[in-house]
Amino acid sequence: MSSYSRILLNTVALVPGATSLPPIRSLLKRRVATQGTKSAVYCYGVWLRHLVMAAGCRLDSNPAAVAELGPGDSLGTGLAALLCGAQRYTALDAAPYANPQANAKIFDELVELFRARAPIPNRDEYLAVKPRLEDYAFPHHVLGVARLERALRPERLERIRGAILGEHADPRTPMIRYRAPWQEANVIEPASQDLVFSQAVLEHVDALREAYAAMRAWLKPGGYLSHQIDFKSHGYAPTWDGHWRYGDFVWRLVRGPASWFINRQPYSAHQRLLAASGFRIVHEQRARSVPSFARGALARRFRGMPEADRETSGVYILAVPARA
Ligand SMILES: C[S@@+](CC[C@H](N)C(=O)[O-])C[C@H]1O[C@@H](n2cnc3c(N)ncnc32)[C@H](O)[C@@H]1O
């Protein structure tokens, strides 16, 4: 749906009683976006991208406790982490999009992909998935024979399957936790996670400062963040950077009553918040795009945007707690 249709629909929805009319209700319902994690191949590729990038920067490539923000339609990306040997996976989302049946199906497909040591998908619909890697062959250097054999033992697979279906051997230490929605940082114990990651999520989080502070609290010493962030307009403006042209009033109409949307924060905002929350960036991979309009057309709140932000359409970052 274009930004103009959204503005129209959201303006109509403001009229008292309009949202109870069936056509308006169904239009509002229809625009709830579906997420990519319905596909096991996508989840496999996303997890292996994060793992390979971390290994390339000599960060822990066998994290035991892994947390993910915004898994979307399934927990598949975190299930891929468990299939590589992680012991605990915690997923936090804005709403409960995933369900145990879909997760179980994706899990079975993931097991086959790991057994086959399938290459990391990077063609057709996966061409645009980031971060970009130098090599898309199966990462034998990270997932050696012994590690994968241990991780894919039949009794371990049964345990993960049980956890997917909500059966926990010891409910005090569940292998999988899913909190959706989540609000407070105390949803995860302090200093308990080796890795916190996300894919195409941090551009949607409204309370970004709080989210980074929470991530800092969750990480163990030696833990790290791995995030892929997309700064483009997600189709809510005619050009990739057009969302930075809208003033606050129009943007409120584009957003409407959505419980989460895009936060329009450019890369420098993430850099600032990372530093303020006590992180040091150890690696970044920026996607650059040519600005589609002159600086003078930026909305007032973005006038001071650094030139580098204007051409940063996405970024992959690895960050670690900064030394005190
Ligand atoms: C574009 S989807 C990405 C889903 C998935 N990570 C993928 O790779 O396809 C954005 C996700 O961010 C989630 N999200 C939005 N705000 C969030 C928040 N404050 N905390 C956690 N997740 C959030 C949404 O619910 C949704 O699942």
Side-chain angles (χ1 to χ4, degrees), residues 199-221:
Q199 182 77 14
V201 173
L202 292 186
E203 70 269 28
H204 297 291
V205 171
D206 287 320
L208 255 191
R209 179 182 300 280
E210 291 78 0
Y212 276 118
M215 291 185 244
R216 179 66 191 84
W218 299 334
L219 278 190
K220 287 180 191 166

Side-chain angles (χ1 to χ4, degrees), residues 28-255:
L28 286 167
K29 219 155 112 196
R30 226 184 315 145
R31 64 182 193 193
V32 173
T34 58
Q35 327 299 340
T37 53
K38 277 202 167 96
S39 143
V41 176
Y42 172 84
C43 297
Y44 178 81
V46 166
W47 169 249
L48 288 182
R49 278 173 170 78
H50 285 264
L51 197 63
V52 167
M53 292 301 286
C57 288
R58 300 190 188 290
L59 294 167
D60 179 7
S61 58
N62 197 359
V66 174
E68 180 181 9
L69 286 177
D73 279 338
S74 87
L75 305 188
T77 311
L79 296 179
L82 291 173
L83 286 170
C84 290
Q87 290 157 25
R88 295 190 70 189
Y89 165 61
T90 306
L92 306 179
D93 212 324
Y97 296 111
N99 69 72
Q101 286 66 38
N103 292 335
K105 180 172 175 294
I106 286 187
F107 176 70
D108 290 340
E109 293 167 16
L110 283 169
V111 169
E112 292 315 313
L113 288 164
F114 280 108
R115 280 194 178 132
R117 271 67 167 173
I120 300 172
N122 75 323
R123 288 175 196 211
D124 307 321
E125 69 258 52
Y126 306 112
L127 195 64
V129 178
K130 295 197 173 75
R132 299 234 183 275
L133 302 178
E134 277 168 19
D135 185 1
Y136 291 90
F138 184 79
H140 292 282
H141 62 293
V142 183
L143 295 168
V145 176
R147 172 171 170 188
L148 261 195
E149 262 178 18
R150 258 198 320 276
L152 299 178
R153 277 194 324 263
E155 62 277 17
R156 188 167 187 276
L157 298 185
E158 271 321 295
R159 221 153 52 79
I160 302 177
R161 175 185 293 285
I164 291 170
L165 300 173
E167 305 152 6
H168 293 289
D170 180 352
R172 282 166 309 175
T173 54
M175 204 174 197
I176 298 174
R177 294 185 295 182
Y178 183 36
R179 303 282 182 269
W182 75 285
Q183 253 104 34
E184 304 293 333
N186 64 10
V187 68
I188 296 183
E189 307 71 25
S192 63
Q193 301 299 304
D194 299 290
L195 163 63
V196 180
F197 80 98
S198 72
Q199 182 77 14
V201 173
L202 292 186
E203 70 269 28
H204 297 291
V205 171
D206 287 320
L208 255 191
R209 179 182 300 280
E210 291 78 0
Y212 276 118
M215 291 185 244
R216 179 66 191 84
W218 299 334
L219 278 190
K220 287 180 191 166
Y224 61 98
L225 302 182
S226 180
H227 294 297
Q228 176 65 46
I229 315 170
D230 178 359
F231 300 113
K232 298 194 293 299
S233 60
H234 289 58
Y236 299 126
T239 60
W240 79 266
D241 52 353
H243 51 319
W244 289 324
R245 297 179 71 149
Y246 294 120
D248 291 354
F249 177 71
V250 173
W251 187 248
R252 269 204 296 281
L253 289 178
V254 176
R255 174 169 180 149

Side-chain angles (χ1 to χ4, degrees), residues 233 237-246 289-299 302-303 305 307 310-311:
S233 60
T239 60
W240 79 266
D241 52 353
H243 51 319
W244 289 324
R245 297 179 71 149
Y246 294 120
S289 300
V290 178
S292 70
F293 56 89
R295 170 168 281 279
L298 282 168
F302 298 114
R303 292 267 159 83
M305 188 186 260
E307 208 45 38
R310 297 248 295 138
E311 36 189 66

